Amino acid sequence: MENLSLHDAGPPGGPSMQQAPPPVPQLPPQMFTTAAQLLDLTDKKLVVALRDGKKLIGVLRSWDQFGNLVLQDTIERLFCQTLYCDIERGMFLVRGENVLLLGEIDLDKDDYVPDTFEQAPVEKVYALKKQEEQSRKTTDKSKQKKLAELGFEGEHSGEVIF
Amino acid sequence: MLFFSFFKTLVNHEVTVELKNDISIRGTLKSVDQYLNIKLDDIQVVEELKYPHLSSVKNVFIRGSVVRYVHLPANAVDTPLLEDATRREASQTAAKAKQQG
């Protein structure tokens, strides 16, 4: 890994200092990484996709190096066929390993849902979703079984992510 | 650390990241970290209508562990350099193992 120091970035022809600047303690390379990326997203409205397929929309208030997140004013958005609905969830703490991706919502397009989707009552969408998941589980199971017979192991080792 | 360094050379290039849940996201690589978590800007989702939750999103942070492929622009990859770096890293690792063993 490259070791950056203050001297590398000096602009050519910049003011030449007589005295060497006091040594600046160097940040560990990790500081330029996960933390810095999440720092940019703090206090922003995000959509968080989880490993179990849930989509959460909320304001990122806190996080740590493992990607554990705290979301405020969270809603869960369910999509099913051509319908969607929102469920108020409030404060959410997500364990990092369950996070697939974080997307920063463009506030100009806030809450935009493609025209092909229509908002529907929670009960209706929830029931449809449950049905869909049930049938998906059944097909996944039979697929996994057939693969196992051929000596293959599914990519997600039995766990479905989407 | 070799792949981390390699990905750092690709910052600001257009890449397509395919996730293990089959979503493909195209965007400008903004940063990468030691877990190969990836941050993309100005994203565009392939088959957008299948993944409606991403339609109002402009940039994403993708957890490294869910990435299946990263499609790179071929002209941004210096293959001989990468080969050299790989050999160097391999010989270094071997030398270290010898020292300890």
Side-chain angles (χ1 to χ4, degrees):
Chain A
M1 189 183 314
E2 55 184 332
N3 278 312
L4 293 173
S5 79
L6 279 178
H7 307 286
D8 294 336
S16 61
M17 272 185 272
Q18 289 289 39
Q19 235 180 348
V24 178
Q26 202 152 79
L27 292 168
Q30 292 90 311
M31 284 303 288
F32 296 101
T33 53
T34 321
Q37 298 185 36
L38 286 169
L39 193 60
D40 292 342
L41 296 174
T42 314
D43 295 331
K44 299 258 167 62
K45 192 173 173 182
L46 305 179
V47 48
V48 181
L50 301 184
R51 225 158 45 144
D52 64 354
K54 285 195 176 78
K55 278 92 192 175
L56 303 174
I57 300 173
V59 182
L60 181 65
R61 288 303 187 194
S62 191
W63 45 267
D64 63 13
Q65 73 269 37
F66 307 111
N68 298 325
L69 311 171
V70 176
L71 298 170
Q72 194 186 28
D73 297 327
T74 316
I75 55 168
E76 181 184 342
R77 187 162 283 173
L78 290 179
F79 288 94
C80 193
Q81 293 163 14
T82 60
L83 303 174
Y84 79 95
C85 72
D86 291 340
I87 307 170
E88 304 253 348
R89 294 288 192 203
M91 202 67 119
F92 231 97
L93 193 151
V94 186
R95 190 176 157 90
E97 62 178 328
N98 297 303
V99 175
L100 278 190
L101 64 84
L102 309 172
E104 184 185 343
I105 290 181
D106 189 347
L107 289 175
D108 295 333
K109 287 196 268 177
D110 197 4
D111 277 331
Y112 165 78
V113 177
D115 296 332
T116 45
F117 288 86
E118 208 181 321
Q119 189 153 17
V122 174
E123 297 79 22
K124 193 174 164 189
V125 182
Y126 189 79
L128 271 173
K129 189 89 186 165
K130 216 164 174 187
Q131 220 173 42
E132 194 184 79
E133 244 158 68
Q134 202 57 51
S135 66
R136 190 177 45 77
K137 260 185 201 155
T138 331
T139 45
D140 273 352
K141 227 178 186 172
S142 63
K143 223 185 248 173
Q144 213 92 33
K145 211 175 141 194
K146 274 185 194 145
L147 279 172
E149 280 165 14
L150 294 167
F152 290 104
E153 194 185 340
E155 187 166 29
H156 323 118
S157 45
E159 191 174 10
V160 189
I161 59 169
F162 64 109
Chain B
M1 274 328 216
L2 178 69
F3 274 81
F4 173 43
S5 310
F6 171 60
F7 271 109
K8 278 202 294 188
T9 67
L10 292 168
V11 164
N12 287 327
H13 283 94
E14 277 259 309
V15 297
T16 306
V17 180
E18 185 180 318
L19 310 188
K20 287 184 190 168
N21 57 359
D22 296 333
I23 302 183
S24 288
I25 304 172
R26 189 171 175 76
T28 313
L29 185 68
K30 271 298 156 196
S31 77
V32 63
D33 66 17
Q34 77 268 37
Y35 306 113
L36 303 188
N37 294 332
I38 285 175
K39 203 165 176 184
L40 295 180
D41 225 343
D42 298 319
I43 62 148
Q44 217 180 327
V45 180
V46 183
E47 287 191 291
E48 200 169 0
L49 283 180
K50 248 174 99 180
Y51 310 104
H53 58 289
L54 290 173
S55 52
S56 55
V57 170
K58 57 178 172 184
N59 60 58
V60 289
F61 169 89
I62 301 166
R63 196 176 157 90
S65 62
V66 303
V67 173
R68 185 186 289 144
Y69 301 121
V70 182
H71 304 247
L72 313 167
N75 54 15
V77 183
D78 186 346
T79 318
L81 189 75
L82 193 59
E83 282 172 6
D84 282 351
T86 312
R87 289 201 189 94
R88 221 177 306 130
E89 174 133 324
S91 65
Q92 269 172 13
T93 317
K96 230 183 229 167
K98 219 174 187 180
Q99 233 174 38
Q100 284 168 355

